Amino acid sequence: MTDLPVIDSMGTRCPQPIIDTARFLREQPIGTEAILLADDPATAPDISAWARMTRNYSAQLEPMKFLVRKESDY
Amino acid sequence: MALITGWFSSETPLHPAAKMAIPPIFEQSWPGFSKLSPEARGLAILRNEALATIAGHLGVEPEWLHVLGETNLGFYLGIQGLLSPAQLLQVSAIDRQEILAIADSQSHSEILSVSPEGQIRQSVNQDAVLAWQLGNGETGVVQQSAPTAKAIFVDATATGARLSLPEKWSTALWDSRNWAGPEGIGFLAVHPNSGWRNPLPHNDNRTVPGGSSTGLLIASALAIDSWVADEKIQAEMILQVHRRIRGYISERISDVDFATPENPAMPHLLSMSFLYVDGEQLLNALLAKGFAIDSGSACNAANLEPSHVLAAMGKLTQGNIRLTIHHAVTPEEVDGLLVAIEECVAELRD
């Protein structure tokens, strides 16, 4: 997991971490995984809502660290 | 640009029936209503009539209803007065902040989680005191099952006269603003079989501190009478407007997360979130087009935290708007709002 690409959204406010994630994964093939780093408190509920709405995957690894995986084209 | 409508935010102007009556009411409401002068006795009669009117619309006996000069104090009185030492307090994750704060201050409390539809999904402890939200003021969620617990505090501050109390209840709280009544006045009902005890320091048998305004009470009674009459005429229109807004937005805008369930029990509320949109920017863009609305997004909260209600339901918290559909809304205002939302969301996503 240490080799995964990192989306660094630290210090940005909602909805920027979600926009950063969506922009990065949009160009990647299905199955691509990445680590999202974000300290905005809305990231936890919003990355999981994003995954549900766009049929992708997310999991919170640590308070400010999330695993995201592209599972669909959106 | 000047505000052309304020009708989609949660606050309502005072009902015209109450507004017209306020100057004459305040001319009469200066004596202490418990004194013996003719003016005071006249005022006591008016006060009792006002309480009976409000109690009638809320479905409780007038003698069970107590007037609060500070509505939010009712959360503490209504809940704390039911709790015995070391008893468990259960609240739901979508309860109001004031209730979550009371749960936080207890040695034994539990926050019940909710489903994506906002329904409580954990089982209720039958020996506990339960805080039961009759309707959620942010999403319009109404619990489908009837509450059962040893004692039940009903939060009716978002429902007002719209929904009846459940069959079993111990204490209940309403906010006068819910029926276009004046702000700064609330109502706490205490059921005689509830075992409620005044949790505040007191040296008499009063239920509430008693610092409420009799003038505002009378104005609130005039407002609820008129509001209930308006609601009978306008309820169907509000439901149609709700369906129209929801239909238009679902059809024309992608990536929308509705927090308000379909077939809502409180159709005057509609909460939705737009993916990749900043809630504060959306609010300002709509305001610039003349529409005042509310938002549960973090950028709009004083503490920069997103709405705990949306988060608890697993809904998107960014780009959230909350529309309140009032009795006086016009089809033209709805048309204008829909076009404005569509344009603003497209611009902000660009």
Side-chain angles (χ1 to χ4, degrees):
Chain A
M1 195 174 283
T2 47
D3 295 336
L4 291 179
V6 173
I7 305 161
D8 186 358
S9 301
M10 291 296 276
T12 68
R13 306 266 320 130
C14 73
Q16 199 56 46
I18 312 304
I19 293 175
D20 293 344
T21 305
R23 275 201 187 128
F24 176 79
L25 286 183
R26 197 181 295 263
E27 309 303 323
Q28 309 297 324
I30 302 257
T32 303
E33 291 192 332
I35 297 293
L36 166 66
L37 300 176
D39 53 1
D40 184 286
T43 307
D46 282 2
I47 196 70
S48 115
W50 169 83
R52 167 175 57 78
M53 290 170 74
T54 58
R55 298 176 309 282
N56 286 291
Y57 175 82
S58 80
Q60 186 161 15
L61 305 174
E62 289 170 29
M64 292 177 245
K65 192 174 176 185
F66 305 84
L67 172 69
V68 289
R69 183 166 62 238
K70 180 164 175 172
E71 292 191 342
S72 78
D73 286 308
Y74 51 93
Chain B
M1 188 179 180
L3 196 65
I4 54 169
T5 172
W7 288 109
F8 297 101
S9 60
S10 62
E11 294 80 13
T12 354
L14 194 58
H15 197 285
K19 195 168 156 185
M20 274 167 32
I22 278 204
I25 289 171
F26 273 80
E27 264 175 46
Q28 288 178 58
S29 66
W30 56 269
F33 62 83
S34 55
K35 301 282 176 67
L36 294 173
S37 69
E39 290 85 356
R41 276 184 275 172
L43 185 63
I45 291 169
L46 273 178
R47 184 186 160 87
N48 288 340
E49 283 174 357
L51 264 178
T53 298
I54 292 167
H57 288 300
L58 301 180
V60 298
E61 297 298 322
E63 58 272 24
W64 302 351
L65 201 60
H66 307 276
V67 189
L68 285 164
E70 164 56 66
T71 305
N72 286 355
L73 178 61
F75 292 111
Y76 179 78
L77 285 171
I79 293 170
Q80 197 70 44
L82 296 172
L83 276 165
S84 46
Q87 194 177 9
L88 176 68
L89 169 65
Q90 288 189 311
V91 304
S92 100
I94 60 169
D95 269 325
R96 287 181 47 156
Q97 290 285 7
E98 291 82 355
I99 292 177
L100 296 177
I102 293 169
D104 234 11
S105 72
Q106 305 294 322
S107 51
H108 295 86
S109 68
E110 185 182 12
I111 298 175
L112 303 172
S113 64
V114 297
S115 70
E117 293 74 37
Q119 298 296 312
I120 293 175
R121 57 181 167 193
Q122 279 174 271
S123 59
V124 169
N125 183 322
Q126 294 304 314
D127 293 325
V129 171
L130 174 68
W132 184 261
Q133 188 178 61
L134 200 50
N136 184 273
E138 210 174 307
T139 60
V141 163
V142 172
Q143 297 298 318
Q144 300 300 316
S145 57
T148 56
K150 187 149 200 166
I152 299 160
F153 164 78
V154 179
D155 172 14
T157 54
T159 47
R162 286 182 178 88
L163 300 176
S164 315
L165 286 178
E167 199 174 319
K168 192 170 183 297
W169 62 275
S170 310
T171 52
L173 181 67
W174 293 267
D175 186 340
S176 157
R177 286 179 299 177
N178 222 281
W179 47 82
E183 61 172 347
I185 187 157
F187 298 91
L188 178 72
V190 178
H191 195 283
N193 301 332
S194 65
W196 183 88
R197 291 157 68 164
N198 191 343
L200 292 178
H202 59 286
N203 51 14
D204 55 21
N205 59 4
R206 279 196 294 194
T207 304
V208 293
S212 61
S213 153
T214 302
L216 292 184
L217 165 64
I218 296 165
S220 184
L222 291 169
I224 198 171
D225 247 352
S226 306
W227 185 93
V228 168
D230 294 348
E231 176 70 4
K232 276 192 188 126
I233 300 165
Q234 303 284 59
E236 184 55 31
M237 177 278 289
I238 286 179
L239 181 61
Q240 295 308 326
V241 168
H242 178 107
R243 287 187 176 143
R244 173 142 182 267
I245 297 174
R246 193 174 179 127
Y248 183 98
I249 286 173
S250 312
E251 214 170 273
R252 309 279 292 249
I253 306 179
S254 62
D255 294 324
V256 187
D257 201 19
F258 286 96
T260 300
E262 283 194 63
N263 302 316
M266 294 209 293
H268 70 294
L269 292 172
L270 182 51
S271 167
M272 67 197 97
S273 305
F274 301 96
L275 199 53
Y276 313 129
V277 171
D278 181 322
E280 186 179 19
Q281 287 181 6
L282 181 55
L283 230 59
N284 285 330
L286 286 167
L287 198 57
K289 289 182 189 284
F291 296 96
I293 53 160
D294 300 304
S295 172
S297 291
C299 342
N300 308 100
N303 58 4
L304 295 176
E305 291 280 341
S307 151
H308 72 279
V309 173
L310 298 177
M313 290 168 65
K315 300 293 178 187
L316 188 70
T317 73
Q318 64 186 229
N320 176 263
I321 57 171
R322 183 170 73 246
L323 307 176
T324 310
I325 307 162
H326 295 291
H327 286 148
V329 73
T330 66
E332 293 73 27
E333 283 173 338
V334 177
D335 289 343
L337 176 73
L338 289 174
V339 171
I341 293 174
E342 194 178 1
E343 286 175 359
C344 292
V345 170
E347 280 163 26
L348 292 172
R349 277 180 176 170
D350 208 9

